[in-house]
Amino acid sequence: MDDVREPLKSRKYRRCRSAPLAEYAPLETTNTVSVPVTESIFRNLHPSFHKVAIFLAFYLGIGTICFYLVRNQIKGEKTNGVLDAVYFCIVTMTTVGYGDLVPNSILSKLLACAFVFTGMALVGLILSKAADYLVEKQEMLLVKALHMHQKVGHIQVLKDVETNSLKYKCIVAFILLLVLISAGTIFLATVEKLDLVDAFYCVCSTITTLGYGDKSFSTQAGRVFAIFWILTSTICLAQFFLYIAELNSQSRQRALVKWVLTRRTTNVDLEAADLDGDGVVGAAEFIIYKLKEMGKISQEDIGLVMEEFEDLDVDQSGTLSISDIMLAQPPSTEK
């Protein structure tokens, strides 16, 4: 009987002390449509594309007007006044800076300085987040495609995404990058009449924002294409390298976790894990100690949580009850 009771006790302990992960929560089944709980979470975490479009349109609108008005103070290869102004905005905000269009007066140079900083802020704070969201959407399609011939449920797919999210993001970003590089090379070779090596060279110098300037988009059709291609390709490359860095950091973190969980526990560990100094290490104390070793929480985090616990523990019994919660957090009388 004791052998049966112990596993039940263990399962009960794990259940009551584990917060349910939102990603793994069961789908809400209704008579109409089953909606994953994560969908509402994504809406809260990621920027509204309406806001992204508004910010981008505002930046390009103001920039186009400003640089169109000072178009005679910008020297270089010109095609159409409005098109060149938009093209110059994109080249400036992405820091490509070919040098095919260059400010040639004090006013135009000051405008360029202002728009390069605001453009970088727009790319870093808004557009990169939107790009990350789009990659996540494609990531889900990739995972579903990988499990297409396997009998795997939605919960298992979400678990796979949670476990290998960065790896899938790297794959998606790499595929998109290859598509953009190929499209840019083909376009430059066919429309801008560059040979294949020069076209590929121009693509590489553009997406890495080197912008040497010896090869660039000089035709009207080329600059229309460049307005969309430069923005997407530079952001895509930045996101790809960001995912690579995060994947490397994640692999190091997982290696640390594996080492912490597999190394021998010593008397020194037990002494360090004994938070209340009673000579015995409980499950909660052991978990906290291991999480600290893994670098998932710090002593400062534990101190802040303990402060909240002490504030809620009104009767100072060392445990929380409903009466403690009611006394520590009286219901609001405001309507």
Side-chain angles (χ1 to χ4, degrees):
M1 190 68 179
D2 292 339
D3 294 338
V4 176
R5 190 181 299 114
E6 185 60 33
L8 291 175
K9 181 180 179 183
S10 177
R11 284 197 294 271
K12 180 180 178 183
Y13 172 80
R14 292 185 179 185
R15 180 182 176 187
C16 68
R17 287 165 173 77
S18 299
L21 293 177
E23 289 84 356
Y24 304 152
L27 304 182
E28 297 176 2
T29 55
T30 62
N31 294 331
T32 54
V33 182
S34 296
V35 180
V37 178
T38 49
E39 204 165 314
S40 61
I41 295 175
F42 282 144
R43 281 198 293 267
N44 292 331
L45 289 180
H46 293 281
S48 166
F49 283 99
H50 294 291
K51 292 182 179 179
V52 171
I54 290 171
F55 282 124
L56 182 60
F58 181 77
Y59 174 86
L60 292 178
I62 298 297
T64 300
I65 293 171
C66 291
F67 291 118
Y68 178 77
L69 293 175
V70 297
R71 63 189 182 279
N72 294 327
Q73 301 174 39
I74 296 177
K75 65 178 182 179
E77 300 179 24
K78 298 181 181 180
T79 57
N80 174 274
V82 176
L83 178 60
D84 289 344
V86 179
Y87 170 75
F88 187 76
C89 282
I90 294 294
V91 170
T92 301
M93 76 181 293
T94 55
T95 69
V96 171
Y98 287 125
D100 50 354
L101 293 176
V102 182
N104 197 29
S105 68
I106 295 176
L107 177 60
S108 60
K109 288 178 181 179
L110 290 176
L111 282 173
C113 292
F115 274 90
V116 70
F117 284 112
T118 54
M120 290 177 67
L122 180 65
V123 170
L125 299 177
I126 301 176
L127 295 182
S128 60
K129 292 182 180 180
D132 185 54
Y133 178 67
L134 290 175
V135 169
E136 282 188 359
K137 288 294 185 182
Q138 301 305 314
E139 172 194 359
M140 287 298 298
L141 295 177
L142 175 64
V143 174
K144 288 179 180 178
L146 292 175
H147 295 294
M148 184 181 297
H149 301 293
Q150 303 175 7
K151 295 182 179 179
V152 179
H154 187 75
I155 303 300
Q156 284 72 25
V157 171
L158 289 177
K159 286 182 179 179
D160 189 23
V161 171
E162 177 70 19
T163 304
N164 302 299
S165 176
L166 284 175
K167 182 178 74 174
Y168 290 136
K169 283 184 177 181
C170 284
I171 294 173
V172 171
F174 182 71
I175 293 172
L176 291 175
L177 195 57
L178 287 180
V179 171
L180 289 167
I181 290 174
S182 301
T185 303
I186 293 170
F187 185 90
L188 283 165
T190 55
V191 177
E192 295 289 337
K193 306 303 180 183
L194 299 179
D195 62 62
L196 206 58
V197 174
D198 285 342
F200 181 69
Y201 161 78
C202 181
V203 165
C204 291
S205 66
T206 299
I207 65 175
T208 55
T209 69
L210 282 172
Y212 287 124
D214 52 339
K215 305 294 180 183
S216 62
F217 297 87
S218 56
T219 65
Q220 191 167 336
R223 289 186 176 176
V224 171
F225 174 80
I227 287 170
F228 301 97
W229 180 81
I230 291 175
L231 189 61
T232 54
S233 60
T234 51
I235 292 176
C236 184
L237 182 66
Q239 288 296 121
F240 175 68
F241 283 123
L242 175 63
Y243 295 147
I244 291 292
E246 289 181 351
L247 187 63
N248 180 56
S249 177
Q250 184 187 73
S251 63
R252 293 175 62 185
Q253 177 64 31
R254 286 180 176 177
L256 175 62
V257 169
K258 183 179 180 181
W259 177 80
V260 168
L261 294 177
T262 55
R263 76 177 186 85
R264 290 176 60 85
T265 302
T266 64
N267 293 337
V268 176
D269 294 321
L270 293 180
E271 291 177 6
D274 187 12
L275 296 178
D276 55 11
D278 61 355
V280 178
V281 177
E285 291 174 314
F286 187 75
I287 291 170
I288 291 173
Y289 177 70
K290 286 295 181 180
L291 288 175
K292 284 176 62 181
E293 271 197 313
M294 294 174 189
K296 294 184 179 294
I297 59 173
S298 64
Q299 188 62 43
E300 183 181 358
D301 297 329
I302 297 172
L304 292 173
V305 174
M306 287 303 298
E307 285 181 12
E308 182 182 359
F309 180 87
E310 291 170 359
D311 291 338
L312 294 174
D313 186 16
V314 177
D315 58 5
Q316 298 182 349
S317 62
T319 59
L320 294 181
S321 62
I322 296 177
S323 60
D324 287 327
I325 302 299
M326 295 298 293
L327 290 172
Q329 300 177 144
S332 177
T333 56
E334 297 180 359
K335 293 184 179 180

